[in-house]
Amino acid sequence: MSHLTLDTATSRANPTPAPMKRLTIPAIRNRKGKEPLVMLTAYTVRMAQLLDTHCDILLVGDSLGQVIYGLPSTLPVTLDMMIAHGAAVVRGSYHSVVLIDMPFGSYEASLEAAFASAARVMAETGAAGVKMEGGEAMAPTVRFLSERGIPVMGHVGLTPQAVNTLGGYGARGRTNAEHAKIIADARAIADAGAFAIVAEGVVETLANTITAEVSCPVIGIGASNQCDGQVLVTEDMLGLFERTPRFVKRFDDLAGRISAAVETYAAEVRSRAFPGPEQVYPARD
Ligand code: KIV
């Protein structure tokens, strides 16, 4: 497919990588209870290049719907969007395992539909696996794909594709019934063969219980530092948005820094200070 080809002679976004070996799904699975897994989202080739050596997993999350496309939720994200961004992230990375989120509507209807969608993702991006939201109801799908060569990362707790059913993006697991249901979800997905599970927006004690009870690594977001790893949306942790949820730590203030840089640029254009002598081409003698 065209997604997999890149004219490196003309691409300034594709520096030659230092030789390195890409991590594998079994290596990720073996990190259960060991050094915490480092996972971030990436949607573009350049961001993938910048994150790659620091991370174990790059997730092409369907959060790209809001972060890149300004959509109101992840629900309108399509398989084609995920594949285009997924292929870019694979092209920009050489070390991390790249996983692609299965978008809403591409996997829920039947085992066959899920396999067809996931097989497209794998074939057209070169990614190592997929992530899909859902608990007990999705366990047969996780098993079907895992047994047919498609590694699956599960996603339980706050599952944003179910926002209309859940009624919002609030933390989950505060009632006994919800607590028990989310543990059952995680167990079912792990037993079905998921190589890892994201636990999103769950109370800390619940995250700790899930981490202790399932045999695969549990990666937290808004969960607990006792999980087997952590994931954040990169643009959130870099401070690209003014408003960030409670569970996000802003490791930088990129929004402020971009704004300051662009303010300086605009001033220099208006005063004709830019371009200066170093940025123009002198005539030949
Ligand atoms: O879509 C996404 O970015 C995610 C992570 C936040 C886990 O699912």
Side-chain angles (χ1 to χ4, degrees), residues 39-43 59-67 74 82 101 131 133 153-155 158 160-161 198-200 219-221 231-234 236 247:
M39 173 164 150
L40 282 172
T41 59
Y43 317 119
L59 171 68
V60 186
D62 61 354
S63 51
L64 65 76
Q66 290 113 316
V67 176
T74 55
M82 296 308 301
D101 249 342
K131 177 169 83 57
E133 295 183 10
M153 173 180 276
H155 184 155
L158 170 58
Q161 291 175 14
V198 166
E200 175 168 358
I219 300 178
I221 171 165
V231 58
L232 283 174
V233 168
T234 298
D236 281 342
F247 62 83

PDB file of all heavy atoms in Angstrom, residues 39-43 59-67 74 82 101 131 133 153-155 158 160-161 198-200 219-221 231-234 236 247, ligand 1:
ATOM      1  N   MET A  39       4.463   4.871  27.901  1.00  0.00           N
ATOM      2  CA  MET A  39       3.629   4.920  26.692  1.00  0.00           C
ATOM      3  C   MET A  39       3.101   6.337  26.523  1.00  0.00           C
ATOM      4  O   MET A  39       2.715   6.990  27.494  1.00  0.00           O
ATOM      5  CB  MET A  39       2.487   3.915  26.872  1.00  0.00           C
ATOM      6  CG  MET A  39       1.411   3.897  25.821  1.00  0.00           C
ATOM      7  SD  MET A  39       0.470   2.338  25.990  1.00  0.00           S
ATOM      8  CE  MET A  39      -1.135   2.830  25.437  1.00  0.00           C
ATOM      9  N   LEU A  40       3.135   6.827  25.299  1.00  0.00           N
ATOM     10  CA  LEU A  40       2.568   8.133  24.963  1.00  0.00           C
ATOM     11  C   LEU A  40       1.817   8.006  23.646  1.00  0.00           C
ATOM     12  O   LEU A  40       2.090   7.094  22.851  1.00  0.00           O
ATOM     13  CB  LEU A  40       3.674   9.195  24.811  1.00  0.00           C
ATOM     14  CG  LEU A  40       4.261   9.775  26.102  1.00  0.00           C
ATOM     15  CD1 LEU A  40       5.466  10.649  25.784  1.00  0.00           C
ATOM     16  CD2 LEU A  40       3.210  10.575  26.884  1.00  0.00           C
ATOM     17  N   THR A  41       0.923   8.935  23.403  1.00  0.00           N
ATOM     18  CA  THR A  41       0.263   8.954  22.101  1.00  0.00           C
ATOM     19  C   THR A  41       1.159   9.649  21.087  1.00  0.00           C
ATOM     20  O   THR A  41       1.959  10.525  21.427  1.00  0.00           O
ATOM     21  CB  THR A  41      -1.068   9.720  22.149  1.00  0.00           C
ATOM     22  OG1 THR A  41      -0.817  11.059  22.574  1.00  0.00           O
ATOM     23  CG2 THR A  41      -2.063   9.043  23.082  1.00  0.00           C
ATOM     24  N   ALA A  42       1.021   9.249  19.821  1.00  0.00           N
ATOM     25  CA  ALA A  42       1.674   9.951  18.707  1.00  0.00           C
ATOM     26  C   ALA A  42       0.748   9.824  17.508  1.00  0.00           C
ATOM     27  O   ALA A  42       0.110   8.780  17.312  1.00  0.00           O
ATOM     28  CB  ALA A  42       3.034   9.338  18.395  1.00  0.00           C
ATOM     29  N   TYR A  43       0.657  10.891  16.742  1.00  0.00           N
ATOM     30  CA  TYR A  43      -0.225  10.876  15.567  1.00  0.00           C
ATOM     31  C   TYR A  43       0.522  11.232  14.289  1.00  0.00           C
ATOM     32  O   TYR A  43      -0.029  11.092  13.196  1.00  0.00           O
ATOM     33  CB  TYR A  43      -1.376  11.881  15.739  1.00  0.00           C
ATOM     34  CG  TYR A  43      -2.018  11.909  17.108  1.00  0.00           C
ATOM     35  CD1 TYR A  43      -1.997  13.067  17.872  1.00  0.00           C
ATOM     36  CD2 TYR A  43      -2.657  10.785  17.624  1.00  0.00           C
ATOM     37  CE1 TYR A  43      -2.593  13.116  19.130  1.00  0.00           C
ATOM     38  CE2 TYR A  43      -3.247  10.820  18.884  1.00  0.00           C
ATOM     39  CZ  TYR A  43      -3.206  11.990  19.625  1.00  0.00           C
ATOM     40  OH  TYR A  43      -3.794  12.025  20.861  1.00  0.00           O
ATOM     41  N   LEU A  59       1.217   4.986  21.084  1.00  0.00           N
ATOM     42  CA  LEU A  59      -0.182   4.672  20.780  1.00  0.00           C
ATOM     43  C   LEU A  59      -0.731   5.717  19.815  1.00  0.00           C
ATOM     44  O   LEU A  59      -0.716   6.913  20.117  1.00  0.00           O
ATOM     45  CB  LEU A  59      -1.022   4.702  22.067  1.00  0.00           C
ATOM     46  CG  LEU A  59      -2.537   4.609  21.826  1.00  0.00           C
ATOM     47  CD1 LEU A  59      -2.927   3.235  21.294  1.00  0.00           C
ATOM     48  CD2 LEU A  59      -3.311   4.938  23.089  1.00  0.00           C
ATOM     49  N   VAL A  60      -1.195   5.247  18.676  1.00  0.00           N
ATOM     50  CA  VAL A  60      -1.933   6.129  17.784  1.00  0.00           C
ATOM     51  C   VAL A  60      -3.378   6.076  18.281  1.00  0.00           C
ATOM     52  O   VAL A  60      -4.154   5.202  17.894  1.00  0.00           O
ATOM     53  CB  VAL A  60      -1.797   5.685  16.315  1.00  0.00           C
ATOM     54  CG1 VAL A  60      -2.445   6.698  15.385  1.00  0.00           C
ATOM     55  CG2 VAL A  60      -0.328   5.495  15.960  1.00  0.00           C
ATOM     56  N   GLY A  61      -3.671   6.943  19.221  1.00  0.00           N
ATOM     57  CA  GLY A  61      -4.963   6.908  19.890  1.00  0.00           C
ATOM     58  C   GLY A  61      -6.043   7.564  19.041  1.00  0.00           C
ATOM     59  O   GLY A  61      -5.767   8.478  18.262  1.00  0.00           O
ATOM     60  N   ASP A  62      -7.284   7.104  19.262  1.00  0.00           N
ATOM     61  CA  ASP A  62      -8.381   7.774  18.549  1.00  0.00           C
ATOM     62  C   ASP A  62      -8.658   9.147  19.166  1.00  0.00           C
ATOM     63  O   ASP A  62      -9.482   9.911  18.652  1.00  0.00           O
ATOM     64  CB  ASP A  62      -9.639   6.904  18.481  1.00  0.00           C
ATOM     65  CG  ASP A  62     -10.207   6.544  19.841  1.00  0.00           C
ATOM     66  OD1 ASP A  62      -9.566   6.872  20.863  1.00  0.00           O
ATOM     67  OD2 ASP A  62     -11.287   5.933  19.882  1.00  0.00           O
ATOM     68  N   SER A  63      -7.939   9.479  20.244  1.00  0.00           N
ATOM     69  CA  SER A  63      -7.957  10.844  20.769  1.00  0.00           C
ATOM     70  C   SER A  63      -7.503  11.838  19.708  1.00  0.00           C
ATOM     71  O   SER A  63      -7.693  13.039  19.861  1.00  0.00           O
ATOM     72  CB  SER A  63      -7.060  10.948  22.007  1.00  0.00           C
ATOM     73  OG  SER A  63      -5.777  10.423  21.731  1.00  0.00           O
ATOM     74  N   LEU A  64      -6.916  11.344  18.613  1.00  0.00           N
ATOM     75  CA  LEU A  64      -6.541  12.242  17.508  1.00  0.00           C
ATOM     76  C   LEU A  64      -7.773  12.972  16.974  1.00  0.00           C
ATOM     77  O   LEU A  64      -7.653  14.050  16.371  1.00  0.00           O
ATOM     78  CB  LEU A  64      -5.783  11.508  16.405  1.00  0.00           C
ATOM     79  CG  LEU A  64      -6.465  10.405  15.583  1.00  0.00           C
ATOM     80  CD1 LEU A  64      -7.428  10.933  14.544  1.00  0.00           C
ATOM     81  CD2 LEU A  64      -5.399   9.553  14.902  1.00  0.00           C
ATOM     82  N   GLY A  65      -8.935  12.387  17.189  1.00  0.00           N
ATOM     83  CA  GLY A  65     -10.167  13.056  16.756  1.00  0.00           C
ATOM     84  C   GLY A  65     -10.283  14.442  17.361  1.00  0.00           C
ATOM     85  O   GLY A  65     -10.548  15.429  16.670  1.00  0.00           O
ATOM     86  N   GLN A  66     -10.063  14.520  18.677  1.00  0.00           N
ATOM     87  CA  GLN A  66     -10.129  15.829  19.345  1.00  0.00           C
ATOM     88  C   GLN A  66      -8.834  16.611  19.168  1.00  0.00           C
ATOM     89  O   GLN A  66      -8.857  17.796  18.845  1.00  0.00           O
ATOM     90  CB  GLN A  66     -10.393  15.649  20.852  1.00  0.00           C
ATOM     91  CG  GLN A  66     -11.795  15.153  21.165  1.00  0.00           C
ATOM     92  CD  GLN A  66     -11.781  13.751  21.739  1.00  0.00           C
ATOM     93  OE1 GLN A  66     -11.074  12.878  21.244  1.00  0.00           O
ATOM     94  NE2 GLN A  66     -12.572  13.507  22.769  1.00  0.00           N
ATOM     95  N   VAL A  67      -7.691  15.932  19.342  1.00  0.00           N
ATOM     96  CA  VAL A  67      -6.406  16.643  19.398  1.00  0.00           C
ATOM     97  C   VAL A  67      -6.004  17.197  18.021  1.00  0.00           C
ATOM     98  O   VAL A  67      -5.552  18.332  17.911  1.00  0.00           O
ATOM     99  CB  VAL A  67      -5.297  15.706  19.942  1.00  0.00           C
ATOM    100  CG1 VAL A  67      -3.940  16.402  19.921  1.00  0.00           C
ATOM    101  CG2 VAL A  67      -5.633  15.257  21.359  1.00  0.00           C
ATOM    102  N   THR A  74     -14.418  11.048  20.285  1.00  0.00           N
ATOM    103  CA  THR A  74     -13.711  10.105  19.410  1.00  0.00           C
ATOM    104  C   THR A  74     -14.677   9.389  18.453  1.00  0.00           C
ATOM    105  O   THR A  74     -14.230   8.675  17.558  1.00  0.00           O
ATOM    106  CB  THR A  74     -12.959   9.045  20.243  1.00  0.00           C
ATOM    107  OG1 THR A  74     -13.886   8.398  21.123  1.00  0.00           O
ATOM    108  CG2 THR A  74     -11.849   9.676  21.056  1.00  0.00           C
ATOM    109  N   MET A  82      -7.298   6.516  11.172  1.00  0.00           N
ATOM    110  CA  MET A  82      -6.365   5.788  12.045  1.00  0.00           C
ATOM    111  C   MET A  82      -5.232   5.174  11.228  1.00  0.00           C
ATOM    112  O   MET A  82      -4.081   5.152  11.663  1.00  0.00           O
ATOM    113  CB  MET A  82      -7.106   4.690  12.824  1.00  0.00           C
ATOM    114  CG  MET A  82      -8.161   5.191  13.804  1.00  0.00           C
ATOM    115  SD  MET A  82      -7.590   6.460  14.954  1.00  0.00           S
ATOM    116  CE  MET A  82      -6.252   5.625  15.783  1.00  0.00           C
ATOM    117  N   ASP A 101      -5.325   2.448  17.801  1.00  0.00           N
ATOM    118  CA  ASP A 101      -6.675   2.316  18.361  1.00  0.00           C
ATOM    119  C   ASP A 101      -7.660   1.894  17.282  1.00  0.00           C
ATOM    120  O   ASP A 101      -7.657   2.455  16.173  1.00  0.00           O
ATOM    121  CB  ASP A 101      -7.145   3.683  18.897  1.00  0.00           C
ATOM    122  CG  ASP A 101      -7.253   3.711  20.409  1.00  0.00           C
ATOM    123  OD1 ASP A 101      -7.302   2.634  21.038  1.00  0.00           O
ATOM    124  OD2 ASP A 101      -7.287   4.828  20.945  1.00  0.00           O
ATOM    125  N   LYS A 131      -5.382  -1.569  19.803  1.00  0.00           N
ATOM    126  CA  LYS A 131      -6.029  -1.410  21.115  1.00  0.00           C
ATOM    127  C   LYS A 131      -7.525  -1.295  20.881  1.00  0.00           C
ATOM    128  O   LYS A 131      -7.937  -0.651  19.909  1.00  0.00           O
ATOM    129  CB  LYS A 131      -5.506  -0.166  21.835  1.00  0.00           C
ATOM    130  CG  LYS A 131      -6.219   0.083  23.183  1.00  0.00           C
ATOM    131  CD  LYS A 131      -5.524   1.136  24.021  1.00  0.00           C
ATOM    132  CE  LYS A 131      -5.863   2.551  23.677  1.00  0.00           C
ATOM    133  NZ  LYS A 131      -7.311   2.877  23.749  1.00  0.00           N
ATOM    134  N   GLU A 133     -11.396  -0.759  23.027  1.00  0.00           N
ATOM    135  CA  GLU A 133     -12.111  -0.490  24.272  1.00  0.00           C
ATOM    136  C   GLU A 133     -13.132  -1.594  24.539  1.00  0.00           C
ATOM    137  O   GLU A 133     -13.650  -2.205  23.605  1.00  0.00           O
ATOM    138  CB  GLU A 133     -12.832   0.864  24.175  1.00  0.00           C
ATOM    139  CG  GLU A 133     -11.877   2.036  24.052  1.00  0.00           C
ATOM    140  CD  GLU A 133     -12.588   3.382  24.024  1.00  0.00           C
ATOM    141  OE1 GLU A 133     -13.815   3.435  24.294  1.00  0.00           O
ATOM    142  OE2 GLU A 133     -11.911   4.384  23.737  1.00  0.00           O
ATOM    143  N   MET A 153      -4.343  -4.913  22.796  1.00  0.00           N
ATOM    144  CA  MET A 153      -4.304  -4.252  24.106  1.00  0.00           C
ATOM    145  C   MET A 153      -5.746  -3.893  24.455  1.00  0.00           C
ATOM    146  O   MET A 153      -6.450  -3.291  23.637  1.00  0.00           O
ATOM    147  CB  MET A 153      -3.436  -2.993  24.039  1.00  0.00           C
ATOM    148  CG  MET A 153      -3.480  -2.148  25.305  1.00  0.00           C
ATOM    149  SD  MET A 153      -2.435  -0.677  25.180  1.00  0.00           S
ATOM    150  CE  MET A 153      -0.844  -1.371  25.651  1.00  0.00           C
ATOM    151  N   GLY A 154      -6.189  -4.273  25.651  1.00  0.00           N
ATOM    152  CA  GLY A 154      -7.542  -3.921  26.074  1.00  0.00           C
ATOM    153  C   GLY A 154      -7.584  -2.521  26.664  1.00  0.00           C
ATOM    154  O   GLY A 154      -6.545  -1.852  26.813  1.00  0.00           O
ATOM    155  N   HIS A 155      -8.789  -2.069  26.985  1.00  0.00           N
ATOM    156  CA  HIS A 155      -8.967  -0.712  27.538  1.00  0.00           C
ATOM    157  C   HIS A 155     -10.245  -0.748  28.359  1.00  0.00           C
ATOM    158  O   HIS A 155     -11.338  -0.899  27.797  1.00  0.00           O
ATOM    159  CB  HIS A 155      -9.069   0.289  26.372  1.00  0.00           C
ATOM    160  CG  HIS A 155      -9.156   1.731  26.802  1.00  0.00           C
ATOM    161  ND1 HIS A 155      -8.753   2.755  25.973  1.00  0.00           N
ATOM    162  CD2 HIS A 155      -9.592   2.329  27.937  1.00  0.00           C
ATOM    163  CE1 HIS A 155      -8.946   3.916  26.580  1.00  0.00           C
ATOM    164  NE2 HIS A 155      -9.460   3.688  27.771  1.00  0.00           N
ATOM    165  N   LEU A 158     -12.890   3.982  32.272  1.00  0.00           N
ATOM    166  CA  LEU A 158     -13.480   5.039  31.457  1.00  0.00           C
ATOM    167  C   LEU A 158     -13.119   4.761  29.997  1.00  0.00           C
ATOM    168  O   LEU A 158     -11.959   4.858  29.608  1.00  0.00           O
ATOM    169  CB  LEU A 158     -12.941   6.400  31.890  1.00  0.00           C
ATOM    170  CG  LEU A 158     -13.288   7.582  30.974  1.00  0.00           C
ATOM    171  CD1 LEU A 158     -14.788   7.742  30.812  1.00  0.00           C
ATOM    172  CD2 LEU A 158     -12.668   8.854  31.500  1.00  0.00           C
ATOM    173  N   PRO A 160     -13.799   6.094  26.447  1.00  0.00           N
ATOM    174  CA  PRO A 160     -14.395   7.296  25.848  1.00  0.00           C
ATOM    175  C   PRO A 160     -15.368   7.017  24.703  1.00  0.00           C
ATOM    176  O   PRO A 160     -16.281   7.812  24.466  1.00  0.00           O
ATOM    177  CB  PRO A 160     -13.170   8.084  25.357  1.00  0.00           C
ATOM    178  CG  PRO A 160     -12.062   7.639  26.262  1.00  0.00           C
ATOM    179  CD  PRO A 160     -12.328   6.186  26.523  1.00  0.00           C
ATOM    180  N   GLN A 161     -15.206   5.890  24.000  1.00  0.00           N
ATOM    181  CA  GLN A 161     -16.159   5.601  22.921  1.00  0.00           C
ATOM    182  C   GLN A 161     -17.554   5.309  23.475  1.00  0.00           C
ATOM    183  O   GLN A 161     -18.541   5.353  22.745  1.00  0.00           O
ATOM    184  CB  GLN A 161     -15.669   4.415  22.077  1.00  0.00           C
ATOM    185  CG  GLN A 161     -14.419   4.741  21.255  1.00  0.00           C
ATOM    186  CD  GLN A 161     -13.862   3.533  20.523  1.00  0.00           C
ATOM    187  OE1 GLN A 161     -14.509   2.505  20.391  1.00  0.00           O
ATOM    188  NE2 GLN A 161     -12.636   3.671  20.031  1.00  0.00           N
ATOM    189  N   VAL A 198      -5.090  -1.083  29.123  1.00  0.00           N
ATOM    190  CA  VAL A 198      -5.137   0.281  29.645  1.00  0.00           C
ATOM    191  C   VAL A 198      -6.283   0.370  30.643  1.00  0.00           C
ATOM    192  O   VAL A 198      -7.397  -0.066  30.346  1.00  0.00           O
ATOM    193  CB  VAL A 198      -5.359   1.307  28.501  1.00  0.00           C
ATOM    194  CG1 VAL A 198      -5.751   2.675  29.054  1.00  0.00           C
ATOM    195  CG2 VAL A 198      -4.090   1.432  27.648  1.00  0.00           C
ATOM    196  N   ALA A 199      -5.997   0.925  31.827  1.00  0.00           N
ATOM    197  CA  ALA A 199      -7.048   1.221  32.811  1.00  0.00           C
ATOM    198  C   ALA A 199      -7.139   2.733  32.890  1.00  0.00           C
ATOM    199  O   ALA A 199      -6.206   3.398  33.352  1.00  0.00           O
ATOM    200  CB  ALA A 199      -6.704   0.623  34.166  1.00  0.00           C
ATOM    201  N   GLU A 200      -8.254   3.269  32.402  1.00  0.00           N
ATOM    202  CA  GLU A 200      -8.390   4.734  32.322  1.00  0.00           C
ATOM    203  C   GLU A 200      -9.428   5.245  33.315  1.00  0.00           C
ATOM    204  O   GLU A 200     -10.529   4.671  33.433  1.00  0.00           O
ATOM    205  CB  GLU A 200      -8.801   5.150  30.892  1.00  0.00           C
ATOM    206  CG  GLU A 200      -9.066   6.653  30.799  1.00  0.00           C
ATOM    207  CD  GLU A 200      -9.197   7.197  29.386  1.00  0.00           C
ATOM    208  OE1 GLU A 200      -9.052   6.410  28.424  1.00  0.00           O
ATOM    209  OE2 GLU A 200      -9.443   8.407  29.253  1.00  0.00           O
ATOM    210  N   ILE A 219      -1.661  -0.641  32.162  1.00  0.00           N
ATOM    211  CA  ILE A 219      -1.097   0.686  31.922  1.00  0.00           C
ATOM    212  C   ILE A 219      -2.137   1.716  32.329  1.00  0.00           C
ATOM    213  O   ILE A 219      -3.258   1.711  31.820  1.00  0.00           O
ATOM    214  CB  ILE A 219      -0.676   0.823  30.449  1.00  0.00           C
ATOM    215  CG1 ILE A 219       0.383  -0.253  30.164  1.00  0.00           C
ATOM    216  CG2 ILE A 219      -0.151   2.223  30.168  1.00  0.00           C
ATOM    217  CD1 ILE A 219       0.885  -0.311  28.787  1.00  0.00           C
ATOM    218  N   GLY A 220      -1.764   2.572  33.257  1.00  0.00           N
ATOM    219  CA  GLY A 220      -2.727   3.502  33.825  1.00  0.00           C
ATOM    220  C   GLY A 220      -2.735   4.856  33.146  1.00  0.00           C
ATOM    221  O   GLY A 220      -1.722   5.333  32.646  1.00  0.00           O
ATOM    222  N   ILE A 221      -3.934   5.444  33.142  1.00  0.00           N
ATOM    223  CA  ILE A 221      -4.091   6.865  32.784  1.00  0.00           C
ATOM    224  C   ILE A 221      -5.202   7.361  33.693  1.00  0.00           C
ATOM    225  O   ILE A 221      -6.327   6.859  33.626  1.00  0.00           O
ATOM    226  CB  ILE A 221      -4.377   7.086  31.279  1.00  0.00           C
ATOM    227  CG1 ILE A 221      -4.739   8.552  31.017  1.00  0.00           C
ATOM    228  CG2 ILE A 221      -5.441   6.147  30.724  1.00  0.00           C
ATOM    229  CD1 ILE A 221      -4.694   8.957  29.539  1.00  0.00           C
ATOM    230  N   VAL A 231       0.355   5.969  30.598  1.00  0.00           N
ATOM    231  CA  VAL A 231       0.174   6.587  29.277  1.00  0.00           C
ATOM    232  C   VAL A 231      -0.499   7.943  29.475  1.00  0.00           C
ATOM    233  O   VAL A 231      -1.313   8.115  30.381  1.00  0.00           O
ATOM    234  CB  VAL A 231      -0.671   5.695  28.330  1.00  0.00           C
ATOM    235  CG1 VAL A 231      -2.037   5.371  28.880  1.00  0.00           C
ATOM    236  CG2 VAL A 231      -0.794   6.342  26.941  1.00  0.00           C
ATOM    237  N   LEU A 232      -0.118   8.890  28.629  1.00  0.00           N
ATOM    238  CA  LEU A 232      -0.806  10.187  28.576  1.00  0.00           C
ATOM    239  C   LEU A 232      -0.913  10.596  27.115  1.00  0.00           C
ATOM    240  O   LEU A 232      -0.155  10.108  26.254  1.00  0.00           O
ATOM    241  CB  LEU A 232      -0.019  11.265  29.336  1.00  0.00           C
ATOM    242  CG  LEU A 232      -0.093  11.263  30.869  1.00  0.00           C
ATOM    243  CD1 LEU A 232       0.855  12.312  31.445  1.00  0.00           C
ATOM    244  CD2 LEU A 232      -1.516  11.495  31.373  1.00  0.00           C
ATOM    245  N   VAL A 233      -1.834  11.493  26.844  1.00  0.00           N
ATOM    246  CA  VAL A 233      -1.879  12.132  25.532  1.00  0.00           C
ATOM    247  C   VAL A 233      -0.724  13.133  25.496  1.00  0.00           C
ATOM    248  O   VAL A 233      -0.613  14.002  26.370  1.00  0.00           O
ATOM    249  CB  VAL A 233      -3.241  12.824  25.305  1.00  0.00           C
ATOM    250  CG1 VAL A 233      -3.200  13.720  24.083  1.00  0.00           C
ATOM    251  CG2 VAL A 233      -4.355  11.778  25.172  1.00  0.00           C
ATOM    252  N   THR A 234       0.153  12.980  24.522  1.00  0.00           N
ATOM    253  CA  THR A 234       1.389  13.771  24.480  1.00  0.00           C
ATOM    254  C   THR A 234       1.105  15.274  24.525  1.00  0.00           C
ATOM    255  O   THR A 234       1.768  16.020  25.254  1.00  0.00           O
ATOM    256  CB  THR A 234       2.179  13.399  23.212  1.00  0.00           C
ATOM    257  OG1 THR A 234       2.517  12.009  23.309  1.00  0.00           O
ATOM    258  CG2 THR A 234       3.437  14.219  23.067  1.00  0.00           C
ATOM    259  N   ASP A 236      -1.282  16.800  25.861  1.00  0.00           N
ATOM    260  CA  ASP A 236      -1.675  17.187  27.223  1.00  0.00           C
ATOM    261  C   ASP A 236      -0.438  17.374  28.093  1.00  0.00           C
ATOM    262  O   ASP A 236      -0.310  18.369  28.803  1.00  0.00           O
ATOM    263  CB  ASP A 236      -2.553  16.099  27.868  1.00  0.00           C
ATOM    264  CG  ASP A 236      -4.002  16.146  27.393  1.00  0.00           C
ATOM    265  OD1 ASP A 236      -4.426  17.174  26.848  1.00  0.00           O
ATOM    266  OD2 ASP A 236      -4.697  15.129  27.592  1.00  0.00           O
ATOM    267  N   PHE A 247      -5.867  14.286  36.010  1.00  0.00           N
ATOM    268  CA  PHE A 247      -4.838  13.244  35.954  1.00  0.00           C
ATOM    269  C   PHE A 247      -3.641  13.600  35.084  1.00  0.00           C
ATOM    270  O   PHE A 247      -2.651  12.872  35.047  1.00  0.00           O
ATOM    271  CB  PHE A 247      -5.455  11.918  35.483  1.00  0.00           C
ATOM    272  CG  PHE A 247      -6.046  11.981  34.094  1.00  0.00           C
ATOM    273  CD1 PHE A 247      -5.245  11.827  32.975  1.00  0.00           C
ATOM    274  CD2 PHE A 247      -7.404  12.189  33.918  1.00  0.00           C
ATOM    275  CE1 PHE A 247      -5.776  11.875  31.704  1.00  0.00           C
ATOM    276  CE2 PHE A 247      -7.950  12.247  32.643  1.00  0.00           C
ATOM    277  CZ  PHE A 247      -7.137  12.103  31.536  1.00  0.00           C
TER     278      PHE A 247
HETATM  279  O1  KIV B   1      -7.109   7.520  22.420  1.00  0.00           O
HETATM  280  C1  KIV B   1      -6.223   7.608  23.273  1.00  0.00           C
HETATM  281  O2  KIV B   1      -5.343   8.476  23.220  1.00  0.00           O
HETATM  282  C2  KIV B   1      -6.228   6.637  24.360  1.00  0.00           C
HETATM  283  C3  KIV B   1      -5.293   6.847  25.503  1.00  0.00           C
HETATM  284  C4  KIV B   1      -5.606   8.082  26.237  1.00  0.00           C
HETATM  285  C5  KIV B   1      -5.191   5.670  26.375  1.00  0.00           C
HETATM  286  O3  KIV B   1      -6.974   5.722  24.329  1.00  0.00           O
END
